[in-house]
Amino acid sequence: MIWFILFMAVAIGLCLRVMIRVRTQTKEILVFLAFVLLGLADWITIFTDHKFKPTHLISMLLDFVGL
Amino acid sequence: MEKSKLTVWQFFVLTLSFLIGTSFFFTPGGLIAAAKQDAWIVPLWAGTAGILAALVWLHLSKLHAGLSIVQICIKVAGRPIGGFFALLYIFYFIQLAAFITRNLGDFMKQALMPLTPLTVFHVMFLFVTGYAVFKGIETIARSSELLFLIMAATFIFVLCLALLEWDWGRFQGIFRMDVWKTMKETSSIFGFPFMEGVIFLMLFPFVQSKKVKSSFILAYAVATILLSFSTFITIGVLGVTRASHDTYPFFVIVQEIHIGTFFEHLESTMALILLVAIFIKLSIAYYCSVLGICQLFKIKNRFWITIALILLISGLAMGYDNVVENIEFSKKYDFAYTILYSMVLPCLLLLVTWIRRIRNKRTEEPAS
């Protein structure tokens, strides 16, 4: 997992550098970062064997509502 | 924002490919298990419900001409609540893209390359689709136009060969189903593929012609008939017992085609068709997610969002343990989950639009 995190850190760093160099909107950088970090968090849950299951969350919510 | 245009034919092809693309492959098995020899009737009523839902979406789109569902949410319900609804839609599109990606991975691993890790299929396919998404909806539509013809021709050819195994005796025991019970057991077909068509609320603004309504409804009608027809063929060729025990019955049909030593192993051709179908469907879901994010946050360039979503979608696609869990979720929850996005929220938005219009008329009348 450590290699994955290192790879992602380098990749995100490079992306940010390019984005700043081409003067991307701040809002765009923030949205990009938000989605990348969400994806990264999801992948970390996979590596740690505690998968985030969207379907599990959806089914729990639907059961809670009673549908 | 992108200023692309779609022709009526392109929109028809996109809609039809999205609806029929993967469902002719994944749905018949489950339907036949539940409804036996009468399974071919199920898509007919589900398709009718789909057409009714499509009329609601078209009406909503007509009331807010030129706006996508994300923009409609914000316009109708205001920035905070409408923004929340828009976010819900975006996550639905992302989840749909992840679901389609996982379908691809499951199929490839189970049927063709059992030793290759799932992630390899997911990431490779997402990169290709991501490129198409970055290029825009016109590129997706044009590639669909080309691929659709190849897909249809191959499908018809393979179908004709499969008919050699046809046996009318496999239909014995037809018309004995309990309609209400079958409807409940096969409720997932309302969600997948028919209600998923709500995603086209993102694409209506790109169609310039006024024939968008007839094109959309026609695509729904053709998809319904084709799905019913493919289920009918599956029953006639494989029989109820075999078809209901296979995850991909259509793949089994193709696997068994042998004409001399010349036509053999046509399953790889079928796998190719499925890959094309998944490409079109995933492109649409992925594109709508990216477009939704760009519209919600008013971002002009979608390149970075497309890149960011590859990581998220490939991660979410790993959120299923196996194909059984995937099927179980579809069976139990897909209908209720999809109905929220396809009927509840659009009807709510319609209601608020009507109330606002009536109120506006009343405030205008005393002034005049």
Side-chain angles (χ1 to χ4, degrees):
Chain A
M1 190 173 77
I2 191 72
W3 289 110
F4 173 73
I5 294 174
L6 272 175
F7 168 74
M8 284 312 299
V10 172
I12 293 169
L14 281 174
C15 286
L16 283 177
R17 202 182 153 189
V18 174
M19 285 171 103
I20 291 165
R21 193 176 273 186
V22 295
R23 296 173 189 236
T24 314
Q25 291 169 283
T26 320
K27 200 166 43 178
E28 194 176 334
I29 297 175
L30 289 176
V31 175
F32 168 78
L33 265 182
F35 279 98
V36 163
L37 290 178
L38 269 176
L40 190 64
D42 191 26
W43 271 100
I44 289 173
T45 64
I46 293 166
F47 281 118
T48 51
D49 273 337
H50 290 284
K51 267 185 202 174
F52 167 69
K53 294 184 174 185
T55 49
H56 189 67
L57 188 73
I58 294 162
S59 50
M60 255 173 46
L61 276 172
L62 288 174
D63 283 337
F64 178 74
V65 176
L67 282 169
Chain B
M1 204 50 60
E2 192 184 353
K3 285 177 184 170
S4 307
K5 283 178 184 173
L6 295 178
T7 62
V8 177
W9 168 247
Q10 283 175 335
F11 188 67
F12 172 79
V13 168
L14 279 178
T15 315
L16 186 61
S17 308
F18 183 86
L19 293 175
I20 198 75
T22 51
S23 53
F24 81 92
F25 219 79
F26 298 120
T27 357
L31 289 185
I32 296 168
K36 310 283 184 260
Q37 281 87 353
D38 300 312
W40 60 276
I41 303 170
V42 179
L44 297 178
W45 70 54
T48 312
I51 289 173
L52 292 177
L55 289 172
V56 174
W57 307 329
L58 283 163
H59 188 62
L60 183 67
S61 174
K62 195 180 161 192
L63 287 178
H64 302 278
L67 298 182
S68 71
I69 185 72
V70 167
Q71 291 167 321
I72 293 172
C73 285
I74 297 168
K75 188 188 167 194
V76 172
R79 193 83 198 167
I81 300 172
F84 173 69
F85 286 169
L87 255 184
L88 279 181
Y89 269 108
I90 289 165
F91 278 106
Y92 172 64
F93 299 151
I94 292 175
Q95 213 261 325
L96 190 61
F99 193 73
I100 299 164
T101 312
R102 180 59 189 230
N103 277 343
L104 163 92
D106 278 336
F107 169 73
M108 291 298 283
K109 197 166 172 68
Q110 196 178 323
L112 289 175
M113 302 180 192
L115 296 178
T116 312
L118 270 174
T119 322
V120 175
F121 301 121
H122 294 171
V123 174
M124 279 172 68
F125 213 75
L126 279 169
F127 267 109
V128 176
T129 320
Y131 183 66
V133 170
F134 170 61
K135 284 300 192 183
I137 189 67
E138 270 187 30
T139 312
I140 297 171
R142 265 188 250 126
S143 52
S144 306
E145 240 178 328
L146 174 73
L147 294 169
F148 176 75
L149 293 177
I150 299 169
M151 201 166 78
T154 321
F155 183 68
I156 291 166
F157 172 69
V158 168
L159 212 66
C160 291
L161 293 179
L163 288 178
L164 294 171
E165 299 288 319
W166 184 270
D167 180 8
W168 279 108
R170 295 186 176 118
F171 282 94
Q172 280 189 5
I174 201 168
F175 298 127
R176 285 185 194 167
M177 70 171 160
D178 178 348
V179 176
W180 183 240
K181 194 181 155 210
T182 313
M183 212 180 258
K184 274 207 276 188
E185 280 178 8
T186 56
S187 63
S188 64
I189 195 179
F190 289 98
F192 170 70
F194 295 109
M195 296 295 166
E196 282 178 359
V198 71
I199 205 163
F200 283 93
L201 271 171
M202 291 296 293
L203 301 184
F204 286 146
F206 292 113
V207 191
Q208 299 300 315
S209 170
K210 285 177 183 171
K211 287 179 183 169
V212 59
K213 189 175 176 180
S214 51
S215 160
F216 193 56
I217 299 294
L218 186 67
Y220 256 82
V222 174
T224 305
I225 293 164
L226 282 179
L227 196 56
S228 172
F229 183 65
S230 66
T231 313
F232 192 74
I233 296 283
T234 310
I235 300 168
V237 174
L238 275 188
V240 168
T241 319
R242 283 192 68 195
S244 54
H245 284 87
D246 285 317
T247 321
Y248 311 113
F250 222 83
F251 192 69
V252 178
I253 291 177
V254 182
Q255 263 179 332
E256 291 182 2
I257 295 174
H258 296 285
I259 300 174
T261 49
F262 189 65
F263 282 120
E264 280 184 331
H265 295 292
L266 287 177
E267 65 267 22
S268 47
T269 316
M270 208 60 199
L272 217 66
I273 291 185
L274 186 73
L275 284 186
V276 168
I278 291 181
F279 168 76
I280 299 173
K281 192 164 179 171
L282 183 60
S283 303
I284 295 170
Y286 193 172
Y287 179 78
C288 291
S289 322
V290 173
L291 186 69
I293 294 167
C294 289
Q295 286 179 347
L296 182 64
F297 298 103
K298 291 178 183 157
I299 293 169
K300 285 173 190 162
N301 186 357
R302 54 173 183 273
F303 176 74
W304 293 107
I305 305 299
T306 310
I307 297 286
L309 281 191
I310 291 178
L311 191 69
L312 185 60
I313 293 174
S314 60
L316 288 176
M318 297 300 289
Y320 305 90
D321 285 333
N322 48 47
V323 70
V324 179
E325 188 184 309
N326 196 333
I327 293 169
E328 273 302 299
F329 174 79
S330 287
K331 248 187 200 174
K332 280 188 186 169
Y333 299 103
D334 209 18
F335 174 67
Y337 178 55
T338 321
I339 211 89
L340 172 74
Y341 295 98
S342 58
M343 287 313 292
V344 178
L345 287 179
C347 285
L348 199 69
L349 292 170
L350 260 182
L351 195 73
V352 176
T353 309
W354 281 332
I355 293 170
R356 280 197 167 182
R357 288 200 165 194
I358 291 166
R359 200 186 275 175
N360 282 351
K361 267 187 187 173
R362 276 185 192 164
T363 47
E364 277 169 15
E365 272 169 11
S368 61

